[in-house]
Amino acid sequence: MNIGVMLVSSSFEHLIMIWFYCTCALLFILKTCSAVDVLLPDPILKDGETIVSASENFELGFFTRYLNFRFLGIMYKKTSEKGKVVLVANREVPLDDPMDMLKFTDKGTLQLVNVNNTIIWSSQPSKILTNINPVAKLFDTGNLVIIDN
């Protein structure tokens, strides 16, 4: 009698553990697949990474054109014009190294820098702020706005 209770208890614990791991895996997949429409100060945007507006109509990221030069821009993501670029940050100075990145400065501006930390492009703040916690948010209009978190 005790052996049967142990087997049922062990099987039940096994099912609970399987359910728990499956739920965790599903939550992880949903979290990584959902659109992220903000760029936080700490993680920088590198080649292959993007931020996507909430409606998933626009995407900010690096793209390649013209003899494998790279650019940072905002593109249509989900519409019939998928991939069409609507804004290019470094139109005059194409990038040639996949290690180039978009990052925040300590003053809350965004800078596109190459591998040598040379500034290729920088956002133009409407006013200088101190002690801010900036995030760059890509809105459903295609506008990228730096706001205080």
Side-chain angles (χ1 to χ4, degrees):
M1 187 85 159
N2 287 342
I3 294 175
V5 171
M6 281 187 0
L7 288 177
V8 171
S9 176
S10 178
S11 296
F12 185 70
E13 288 174 3
H14 231 68
L15 287 173
I16 290 177
M17 285 180 26
I18 291 170
W19 176 83
F20 174 77
Y21 287 120
C22 289
T23 303
C24 288
L26 180 62
L27 290 174
F28 176 77
I29 290 168
L30 290 175
K31 181 174 172 53
T32 57
C33 291
S34 64
V36 176
D37 64 350
V38 295
L39 177 65
L40 301 173
D42 188 27
I44 52 181
L45 191 68
K46 298 184 226 172
D47 195 23
E49 300 173 340
T50 63
I51 62 172
V52 179
S53 66
S55 66
E56 297 187 11
N57 286 330
F58 293 96
E59 179 175 38
L60 168 73
F62 293 96
F63 64 94
T64 303
R65 296 276 197 282
Y66 317 115
L67 303 171
N68 293 328
F69 285 120
R70 293 176 48 258
F71 300 90
L72 175 71
I74 296 175
M75 299 149 275
Y76 286 108
K77 178 173 175 65
K78 197 172 160 183
T79 67
S80 62
E81 298 186 77
K82 181 178 181 174
K84 181 178 179 184
V85 179
V86 294
L87 178 122
V88 179
N90 59 316
R91 183 181 311 268
E92 302 297 322
V93 185
L95 306 169
D96 59 1
D97 192 315
M99 298 304 291
D100 301 334
M101 66 187 87
L102 180 67
K103 66 178 185 175
F104 274 102
T105 68
D106 58 352
K107 302 252 191 273
T109 60
L110 280 174
Q111 288 184 342
L112 177 60
V113 296
N114 66 15
V115 71
N116 300 320
N117 216 25
T118 302
I119 300 170
I120 305 299
W121 171 87
S122 180
S123 63
Q124 300 293 325
S126 57
K127 59 183 175 177
I128 303 296
L129 301 174
T130 56
N131 299 324
I132 63 169
N133 187 15
V135 295
K137 181 172 176 67
L138 183 59
F139 286 90
D140 290 331
T141 59
N143 291 324
L144 180 69
V145 179
I146 299 172
I147 55 178
D148 187 3
N149 195 24

